[in-house]
Amino acid sequence: VTAIHQFVPTLAPRDAVGTHYLAVQSTLRDAGYRSDIYAYEAKDEFKRLAEPFQSFSGGRPGEDTWLLYHSSVGSPVADFVSSRPEPVMVDYHNITPASFFLRWEPVVAGALSLGRRQLARLAGRARLGLADSAFNASELAEIGYTSTAVVPILLDIDAVDSTAPDAALLARLDAAKARGGADWLFVGRLAPNKAQHDVVKAFAAYRELFDADARLHLVGGSSSHSYLGALTDFVAALGLADAIDITGAVSDGALAGYYASADVFVVCSEHEGFCVPLLEAMHRRVPIVAYAAAAVPETVGEGAILLDGKRPLTVATAVDRVLHDDALRDGLVAAGTKRLSDFAIEASRRKLLDAVATVAGAP
Amino acid sequence: MNEPLDLQQVRREIEAEVRARRATGEYPPGFERELDALFARFAPPEVSEDFDAALERAEETVALDPVIPTASNSPIFGIVKRVVAKLVGWYHAWLAQELTAFGAVLTNALRLLGKRVSHLEHVTADTARARTTAMLVPATRDDAAWSNLVVERLRACDARVAVVECGEGVLVQSLLDAGVDAYGVEPRAETADAALERGIEVRIDDGAGHLRRVAPASLGAVVLRGVVERAPVGELLQLVDAAAAALRPNGVMLVCSLRDSGWRTGPTVVEADLALGHPLHPDTWCAVLPEQGFVDVSATAAGANAYVVTGTRAAGS
């Protein structure tokens, strides 16, 4: 029997990466591997699904044991895995370059910087580097990973339909829509690399020039207090506090409500390693206008209007075009649905097992 | 069945719509810059690169709190934390004191360093102020002197052409009229607005910065204008490096410059007085460009007071 145990910084519900860890575990177990999860911390209802990482003392006698480390931030788990004698695989979900946070949130920048150093240290140990995207795989190759494979995040996109939109929220959003104006949406943690301030600038231009009743919903928790503060003050200074909703973290039902009400999904991120919300927007048939940076073009394929720049007037004009050109909107939605099929969970599971088998062999 | 989308075409149409709306004045000049400036007001000083404000922020955060936090959601953990705080409190206070003193010494040293740098800037003719003042002077050039030479040299160019310091866009317009896919780069926002209002594509950026941001080996030609008379030699070399990297193999570099004598008279005299550099002799360009990987370098007179130097980026460089 071969065992492939996962080592993760944090296992938390309502988190795409957390869901991925569990899907990887079930995929490995279904294929016949033995697989447990060891974490630095496990939260809420996922607490019982992981063991403390320090409790791992080695595989069972006679068992071929591998460690699969998931890299997304600096963590003591990486140093623990580095120190172990078992062969290692790394699944890289991207670590935001510290430069994005250095001037906003130095402590976060330190953790990110540590994460990248740990990732580089593991290059010599890792027999295989898995990556959510070719963009992430190229980053692994740059720091010395000699064997890499692209395995998209294991996300059962159809499962998001199992959560009904929050009825009260949806009623509020529908009432606002009935009064006129388009609904812009961006979903993602408030962070300098996601550049929500550029979405706000584009939205301000759109309100000024095309649709004075439009609304913007920025959904997601915050990764930086100072960035959140600057963004909130910026919105207030623009006089758009009534039109821009900075929601913070929301429930699955509320998220479904925002997607259900959205007319367009607008992305101005400078750095994304994959960007799961793009898949959610494509699944919810929301057309996407995005700045073509990092892994965004790879994730959306032909399912979005990709812009070379993100000057506010250009983004606003692109959004206006999408909202008033039915053929374009329908075409984008159809292309998004087609692109989504490339991330079907069964195909991704197969890719994972094929990649793992190349180094660890059959279970 | 939906027709397949031509997203490249859609992007081109969006860009064209933006340019057309700018040309009609529907998109107000300066609007985007106002948005940028407004957000910059709320960004921390480290982001806005304000040295004094950044130092003040460092001084505000340098004093470490000697009190150990003991609050907890759990009463038991609360007790444990208070016991630990009592046991190690003396050491924590000492450590906080030492680190605070170290931080204070460091910020004081930084403040002294800042003063020395300011003093240095003053005694070296306050270059930042001179540069800022020079940037306010409209860089008037009569493109007629070199327009024909440039257009004829680039008429057959089948890739994008960047005109660095395009001014109000007269030379870019001549290239567009000749069927060349040209755009401008102009650091003076008000001057760029005038070009934008003509419906010309203009990036508001400094030349070297813009050329470093375009995809390597993507441009068919780079035309340098204006900045070549004003910038110090070191900056010109950086500009040439950036242009060489942005040009595809066999791409063309054109340097359109006034001669020193022509620059120090007429409408450019104020700019000449404030500038940190001066126009190079055409022979200097002919000596410099081959060092940067250009071949077939030659200079052509463009009237009595101007010249054009051309070079081709070597195919194997």
Side-chain angles (χ1 to χ4, degrees):
Chain A
V1 172
T2 301
I4 302 175
H5 298 306
Q6 298 183 79
F7 286 77
V8 307
T10 303
L11 179 64
R14 293 172 292 283
D15 170 42
V17 181
T19 310
H20 172 74
Y21 304 152
L22 298 182
V24 168
Q25 184 182 41
S26 66
T27 301
L28 293 172
R29 284 179 173 178
D30 291 350
Y33 296 100
R34 212 165 65 75
S35 182
D36 293 323
I37 298 176
Y38 295 86
Y40 176 73
E41 64 171 342
K43 291 182 175 174
D44 304 330
E45 62 261 38
F46 282 6
K47 268 184 180 163
R48 61 187 175 78
L49 302 178
E51 302 293 328
F53 73 96
Q54 305 95 325
S55 67
F56 179 79
S57 56
R60 291 176 183 170
E63 193 174 68
D64 187 16
T65 302
W66 289 70
L67 312 187
L68 172 55
Y69 175 66
H70 290 270
S71 170
S72 58
V73 72
S75 165
V77 181
D79 295 329
F80 178 80
V81 170
S82 283
S83 69
R84 294 293 311 174
E86 292 84 1
V88 172
M89 291 178 246
V90 170
D91 192 355
Y92 180 46
H93 305 289
N94 205 276
I95 299 172
T96 305
S99 56
F100 283 104
F101 280 87
L102 199 57
R103 297 174 181 190
W104 288 94
E105 216 67 58
V107 174
V108 177
L112 295 171
S113 192
L114 171 67
R116 288 215 168 222
R117 285 200 303 275
Q118 291 174 328
L119 185 68
R121 276 204 292 271
L122 277 166
R125 292 278 332 270
R127 308 271 183 91
L128 174 67
L130 300 169
D132 300 329
S133 59
F135 177 81
N136 289 355
S138 70
E139 286 196 354
L140 286 181
E142 273 175 28
I143 56 171
Y145 283 75
T146 51
S147 174
T148 62
V150 177
V151 176
I153 199 159
L154 299 185
L155 178 72
D156 184 3
I157 196 71
D158 293 327
V160 302
D161 294 332
S162 62
T163 306
D166 181 311
L169 172 72
L170 197 56
R172 185 165 60 78
L173 294 172
D174 284 347
K177 195 179 279 296
R179 292 192 292 274
D183 282 284
W184 289 36
L185 175 66
F186 176 73
V187 177
R189 296 188 67 77
L190 292 171
N193 60 302
K194 293 186 184 285
Q196 279 94 344
H197 60 284
D198 284 330
V199 180
V200 169
K201 288 178 195 172
F203 177 74
Y206 183 78
R207 289 254 307 187
E208 183 78 17
L209 298 162
F210 296 105
D211 179 358
D213 297 319
R215 293 163 298 277
L216 166 63
H217 310 281
L218 295 173
V219 177
S222 169
S223 292
S224 163
H225 287 303
S226 58
Y227 185 68
L228 171 61
L231 194 68
T232 307
D233 290 344
F234 181 44
V235 167
L238 286 167
L240 293 176
D242 291 339
I244 297 177
D245 185 13
I246 300 175
T247 67
V250 300
S251 67
D252 290 347
L255 183 62
Y258 284 112
Y259 275 116
S261 177
D263 295 301
V264 63
F265 192 86
V266 182
V267 182
C268 290
S269 301
E270 300 274 347
H271 186 92
E272 295 278 3
F274 185 81
C275 197
V276 168
L278 288 168
L279 301 192
E280 294 170 345
M282 290 192 276
H283 179 70
R284 303 280 189 179
R285 305 178 65 79
V286 182
I288 299 166
V289 173
Y291 173 49
V296 170
E298 180 188 347
T299 303
V300 296
E302 295 286 303
I305 290 193
L306 288 170
L307 301 170
D308 293 335
K310 52 174 175 171
R311 297 305 295 156
L313 295 174
T314 306
V315 178
T317 306
V319 169
D320 182 64
R321 173 77 187 268
V322 167
L323 294 181
H324 292 95
D325 182 337
D326 291 345
L328 175 60
R329 190 173 61 241
D330 293 347
L332 286 174
V333 167
T337 305
K338 185 165 175 290
R339 177 61 178 152
L340 209 48
S341 65
D342 296 333
F343 299 107
I345 190 164
E346 280 313 317
S348 299
R349 282 182 199 272
R350 175 51 44 203
K351 284 180 187 170
L352 172 69
L353 291 174
D354 288 348
V356 163
T358 59
V359 291
Chain B
M1 184 76 183
N2 287 322
E3 287 288 309
L5 289 175
D6 183 349
L7 291 174
Q8 291 280 13
Q9 178 60 22
V10 172
R11 271 194 293 273
R12 280 194 290 271
E13 288 169 7
I14 289 166
E15 291 289 345
E17 185 181 342
V18 172
R19 285 198 296 276
R21 286 178 187 255
R22 281 190 206 275
T24 61
E26 192 181 341
Y27 284 173
F31 178 67
E32 291 175 319
R33 285 196 304 282
E34 285 167 21
L35 289 171
D36 292 341
L38 188 59
F39 180 67
R41 267 177 49 197
F42 302 111
E46 294 88 335
V47 176
S48 60
E49 297 186 351
D50 180 336
F51 176 79
D52 289 330
L55 197 54
E56 272 172 35
R57 208 165 106 97
E59 286 168 344
E60 281 166 15
T61 54
V62 77
L64 298 189
D65 190 348
V67 178
I68 298 173
T70 55
S72 173
N73 292 329
S74 154
I76 293 171
F77 277 121
I79 293 168
V80 171
K81 282 183 178 180
R82 281 195 292 278
V83 170
V84 171
K86 209 149 197 138
L87 288 172
V88 301
W90 61 272
Y91 181 67
H92 179 80
W94 175 80
L95 211 56
Q97 211 171 23
E98 290 292 300
L99 287 172
T100 300
F102 175 66
V105 168
L106 216 54
T107 51
N108 280 337
L110 269 178
R111 195 165 277 290
L112 289 172
L113 187 64
K115 276 184 182 169
R116 284 194 180 195
V117 171
S118 294
H119 179 66
L120 202 59
E121 284 172 345
H122 280 296
V123 295
T124 55
D126 214 337
T127 53
R129 277 178 64 196
R131 193 185 294 264
T132 305
T133 312
M135 285 299 291
L136 299 176
V137 179
T140 310
R141 302 285 185 282
D142 182 4
D143 285 306
W146 43 61
S147 180
N148 286 342
L149 283 169
V150 173
V151 170
E152 287 313 310
R153 183 69 179 80
L154 299 182
R155 191 179 290 281
C157 185
D158 59 358
R160 297 219 84 188
V161 173
V163 178
V164 170
E165 283 215 7
C166 67
E168 295 187 355
V170 174
L171 185 59
V172 179
Q173 188 63 59
S174 301
L175 287 165
L176 291 170
D177 292 344
V180 179
D181 181 11
Y183 70 100
V185 182
E186 173 56 51
R188 297 167 180 79
E190 282 71 24
T191 307
D193 284 343
L196 287 165
E197 283 167 26
R198 289 167 178 255
I200 290 170
E201 181 184 340
V202 178
R203 311 292 168 85
I204 303 176
D205 206 345
D206 75 278
H210 172 75
L211 291 172
R212 284 191 203 103
R213 276 185 279 279
V214 301
S218 61
L219 296 177
V222 172
V223 181
L224 302 181
R225 172 197 177 281
V227 65
V228 290
E229 293 132 10
R230 198 182 56 244
V233 175
E235 285 184 21
L236 288 179
L237 291 176
Q238 286 183 10
L239 186 60
V240 172
D241 284 347
L247 280 170
R248 65 184 190 179
N250 296 316
V252 178
M253 163 95 101
L254 293 103
V255 179
C256 302
S257 177
L258 293 169
R259 290 179 190 276
D260 200 41
S261 53
W263 189 54
R264 295 190 186 281
T265 56
T268 50
V269 68
V270 177
E271 195 184 344
D273 277 347
L274 290 168
L276 304 173
H278 60 87
L280 304 184
H281 192 280
D283 289 351
T284 309
W285 284 108
C286 290
V288 163
L289 291 184
E291 292 296 313
Q292 313 295 320
F294 287 90
V295 295
D296 300 331
V297 178
S298 63
T300 308
N305 284 323
Y307 63 86
V308 176
V309 174
T310 62
T312 304
R313 191 189 168 210
S317 64

